[in-house]
Amino acid sequence: MLTHLGVRSDGTGQGPAWHLDKVCIIPPAVPSALAAPAQGKTANSLQPGRRGSSGNTGLPGQPVWFVARRWLDVVHGLEVLLEVQAADPAKSLLQYQVEVHTSDV
């Protein structure tokens, strides 16, 4: 079950600072031998990442999202531990329409 993701920069090189917005991991499909129910267990209890309604944590083929929206550098820190998000973070962003009018006057 994937619940956290650690990301680290070694802070070396020319211009070592970088901005990490988000990470998306798509778990591979489970081989059929692993998906078969074991003794006394149902197929649902064997699915990776089964956490009830709290969010997707690694179901085969389903994206798992981690949001950072921060810089990795010596000022803000070279490492971060991210928690899994319930859904694609981009879907919660508002969309705006901007109109710009210019003139020579």
Side-chain angles (χ1 to χ4, degrees), residues 6-89:
V7 180
R8 180 178 7 174
S9 170
D10 64 6
T12 62
Q14 188 174 359
W18 52 284
H19 187 266
L20 177 62
D21 185 50
K22 59 189 169 194
V23 177
C24 176
I25 297 175
I26 301 175
V30 177
S32 59
L34 295 176
Q39 294 176 343
K41 297 192 176 196
T42 65
N44 283 344
S45 66
L46 294 175
Q47 291 180 357
R50 199 72 177 174
R51 291 182 66 193
S53 61
S54 62
N56 180 5
T57 58
L59 297 174
Q62 297 297 312
V64 179
W65 294 96
F66 298 89
V67 177
R69 294 193 175 123
R70 58 164 282 177
W71 284 92
L72 291 174
D73 59 15
V74 294
V75 174
H76 300 96
L78 293 172
E79 59 186 63
V80 62
L81 182 63
L82 307 174
E83 291 187 28
V84 69
Q85 301 295 304
D88 179 354

